[in-house]
């Protein structure tokens, strides 16, 4: 998926704003009812709406609770010290902070610090992710749990991991097919050997080993 | 949860508009991320289109200076994007293997494709065949027997996908290296990476979601 598509999804998250206009009636949007808006009173809206209003200077965006320096510093330490991925304060932390720092920098306190910490957290997590992906592929695993990874983080390894994985699987599979094929041939031969009249049995039995080893070597040669 | 209502004749009145948005968003993500074509969400897409056009009509009544007009317009554009992207993704997938998609659609009673998509797939196959035969008729021997089916791309069902579990379930994951199966419990609200073919049945139930 394109990162902008994930941003599109993140824009559906809710956020508080303080409008500078008043609309007494509730606005019936397709994605839900919002309002009534009273100037100066906080109201919850989807992020895209907050951005829209902010760009028209009709509201002030309230900094989300998790977007404060101390909490994020703590998170960063936790992330650094943990072997696993820790739970992020928001499942779209990167996208939301990016959008907010972009459009409403003046509403965010300590915006520069927050930008740096978020980037640090992102870097720590991505490098951790790359290390785990490396270990995962070397281990030849088929399944891994990735709880607490956010969508954007998963998306960042998507172009790489599945392809590497598929290539590995293909190689592994070819190996197995080789083994199974030779085993199958041995089986059918010994079966037919048992069904054959006793006169030719010894002859058949002899040929089995040869064919099996032959087919084995042929297959590996082909592979 | 929402999927069960679907089975009972897809009663549009049961879904509220915001549930519809959630459902389409999820369907769109699943469609974007799964290697094969998913069952169509035709009624929901139609329902959304209806909502959008109805909203557009209502907007005519609002004055140009009204801030609500801009807000609604903005949301409509978001919905249009969602719908267009969803439908376009499906069309791309249909083009990739139109022959097999049509066969599969027949086999499961037409819930893979919506009416419009079926028409599109049929036309697509027809035109491709026409093009192919105009070329292959001039080529002698072996190449002349080339079939459209051979030119289609098969989806790789073994490819790993990232999932989020909505309802606890257990899956078996084959291990090619050692030829045995590993049992994995998918707990609710956890995320995993797994081969697609191990979990596609759960995806179709709506027990998991692709991310």
């Amino acid at each position: 998926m394109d990162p902008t598509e994930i941003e599109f999804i993140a824009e559906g998250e809710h956020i508080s704003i303080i409008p500078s206009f008043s609309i007494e009636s509730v606005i019936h949007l397709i994605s839900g009812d919002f309002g009534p808006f009273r100037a100066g009173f906080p109201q919850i809206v989807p992020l895209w709406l907050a951005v829209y209003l902010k760009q028209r200077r009709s509201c002030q965006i309230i900094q989300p609770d998790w977007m404060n320096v101390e909490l994020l510093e703590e998170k960063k330490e936790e992330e650094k010290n943990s072997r696993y991925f820790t739970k992020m304060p928001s499942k779209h932390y990167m996208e939301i902070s990016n959008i907010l720092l972009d459009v409403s920098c003046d509403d965010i306190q300590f915006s520069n610090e927050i930008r740096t910490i978020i980037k640090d957290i992102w870097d720590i997590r991505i490098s951790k992710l790359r290390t785990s992906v490396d270990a995962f592929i070397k281990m030849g695993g088929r399944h891994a749990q990735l709880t607490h990874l956010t969508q954007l983080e998963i998306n960042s390894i998507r172009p790489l991991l599945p392809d590497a994985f598929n290539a590995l699987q293909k190689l592994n599979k070819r190996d197995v097919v080789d083994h199974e094929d030779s085993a199958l041939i041995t089986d059918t031969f010994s079966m037919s050997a048992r069904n054959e009249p006793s006169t030719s049995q010894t002859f058949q039995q002899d040929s089995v080993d040869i064919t099996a080893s032959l087919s084995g070597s042929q297959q590996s040669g082909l592979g | 949860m929402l999927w069960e209502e679907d089975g009972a004749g897809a009663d549009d009145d049961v879904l509220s508009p915001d549930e519809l948005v959630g459902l389409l968003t999820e369907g769109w993500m699943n469609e974007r991320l799964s290697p094969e074509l998913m069952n169509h969400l035709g009624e929901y897409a139609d329902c959304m289109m209806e909502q959008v056009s109805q909203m557009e009509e209502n907007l005519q009544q609002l004055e140009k200076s009204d801030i609500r007009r801009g807000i609604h317009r903005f949301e409509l554009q978001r919905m249009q994007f969602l719908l267009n992207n969803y439908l376009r993704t499906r069309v791309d997938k249909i083009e990739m293997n139109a022959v097999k998609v049509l066969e599969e659609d027949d086999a499961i009673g037409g819930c893979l494709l919506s009416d419009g998509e079926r028409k599109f797939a049929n036309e697509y196959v027809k035109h491709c065949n026409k093009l192919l035969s105009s070329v292959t008729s001039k080529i002698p021997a072996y190449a002349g027997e080339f079939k459209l089916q051979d030119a289609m791309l098969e989806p790789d069902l073994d490819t790993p996908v990232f999932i989020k579990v909505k309802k606890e379930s257990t899956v078996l994951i084959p291990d090619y290296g050692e030829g045995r199966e590993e049992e994995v419990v998918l707990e609710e609200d956890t995320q995993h990476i797994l081969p697609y073919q191990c979990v596609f049945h759960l995806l179709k139930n709506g027990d998991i979601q692709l991310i």
Side-chain angles (χ1 to χ4, degrees), chain A residues 1-2 5-9 11-12 21 23 25-32 37 48-49 52-53 55-56 58 91 136 140 142-151 154-155 157-158 161-163 165-166 169-170 172-173 176, chain B residues 17-18 20-21 25 28-29 32-33 48 51-52 55 66-72 74-76 78-79 81-82 85 156 158-160 162 164 173-177 182 184-186 189-195 197-198 210-211:
Chain A
M1 268 174 120
D2 200 88
E5 288 170 354
I6 295 174
E7 205 173 83
F8 175 87
I9 296 167
E11 280 166 356
F21 59 92
I23 299 175
S25 59
V26 175
I27 299 186
H28 299 284
L29 291 177
I30 300 178
S31 46
F37 296 92
W48 62 264
L49 182 51
Y52 176 80
L53 293 173
Q55 280 168 339
R56 320 186 92 219
S58 319
K91 58 181 176 175
F136 181 58
R142 296 281 284 162
H143 160 254
Q145 192 166 330
L146 314 147
T147 311
H148 298 330
L149 268 180
T150 66
Q151 215 176 345
I154 288 177
N155 198 57
I157 49 160
R158 208 190 305 277
L161 182 57
D163 281 347
F165 214 88
N166 286 341
Q169 281 310 317
K170 241 171 239 163
N172 279 346
K173 233 189 232 169
V176 173
Chain B
D18 56 321
L20 182 68
V21 175
T25 313
W28 166 60
M29 277 163 66
R32 291 275 304 168
L33 298 170
M48 180 55 92
Q51 284 270 352
V52 169
M55 190 66 96
D66 200 324
I67 192 167
R68 283 177 292 178
R69 196 181 157 108
I71 295 174
H72 282 297
F74 195 90
E75 187 186 37
L76 287 182
R78 284 177 61 84
M79 292 304 134
F81 165 77
L82 181 68
N85 200 316
D156 179 8
D158 201 32
T159 194
F162 298 92
K164 182 174 183 156
I173 301 167
D175 186 336
Y176 291 113
E182 184 193 352
V184 175
V185 179
L186 305 175
D189 265 340
T190 54
Q191 298 177 165
H192 304 260
I193 176 170
L194 297 161
Q197 59 181 4
C198 301
L210 299 182
I211 49 170

Side-chain angles (χ1 to χ4, degrees), chain B residues 167-207:
Chain B
K167 204 173 128 201
E168 188 175 312
S169 6
T170 314
V171 289
L172 292 172
I173 301 167
D175 186 336
Y176 291 113
E178 291 158 38
R180 61 185 168 81
E181 287 186 325
E182 184 193 352
E183 194 179 277
V184 175
V185 179
L186 305 175
E187 281 171 41
E188 203 172 313
D189 265 340
T190 54
Q191 298 177 165
H192 304 260
I193 176 170
L194 297 161
Y196 176 73
Q197 59 181 4
C198 301
V199 290
F200 73 92
H201 57 286
L202 296 174
L203 184 61
K204 281 171 187 166
N205 286 343
D207 289 349

Side-chain angles (χ1 to χ4, degrees), chain A residues 66-78 88-89 93 97 113-115 117-118 121:
Chain A
W66 55 266
M67 213 186 258
N68 82 52
V69 179
E70 281 142 51
L71 196 143
L72 288 174
E73 279 289 359
E74 252 172 57
K75 269 276 142 206
K76 185 176 144 188
E77 281 308 309
E78 194 189 334
M88 283 290 108
Y93 73 99
S97 54
E113 285 89 340
I114 287 175
R115 198 190 295 269
I117 302 173
I118 298 250
I121 294 179

Side-chain angles (χ1 to χ4, degrees), chain B residues 48-125:
Chain B
M48 180 55 92
M49 276 186 235
E50 210 171 280
Q51 284 270 352
V52 169
S53 56
Q54 201 182 340
M55 190 66 96
E56 251 160 17
E57 236 166 71
N58 291 350
L59 276 188
Q60 300 299 326
Q61 294 162 12
L62 284 176
E63 279 176 43
K64 275 217 170 97
S65 58
D66 200 324
I67 192 167
R68 283 177 292 178
R69 196 181 157 108
I71 295 174
H72 282 297
R73 179 114 308 148
F74 195 90
E75 187 186 37
L76 287 182
Q77 282 167 2
R78 284 177 61 84
M79 292 304 134
Q80 288 283 8
F81 165 77
L82 181 68
L83 271 178
N84 290 351
N85 200 316
Y86 171 69
L87 295 173
R88 204 175 304 129
T89 309
R90 289 182 60 85
V91 167
D92 282 347
K93 281 190 187 172
I94 293 172
E95 281 189 5
M96 259 198 297
N97 199 342
V99 179
K100 199 173 150 222
V101 161
L102 279 171
E103 275 170 16
E104 254 174 53
D105 182 50
D106 266 348
I108 58 172
C111 51
L112 188 65
L113 299 171
S114 70
D115 295 340
E117 286 164 344
R118 195 170 307 118
K119 198 171 148 212
F120 169 79
N122 276 319
E123 298 239 319
Y124 182 77
V125 170

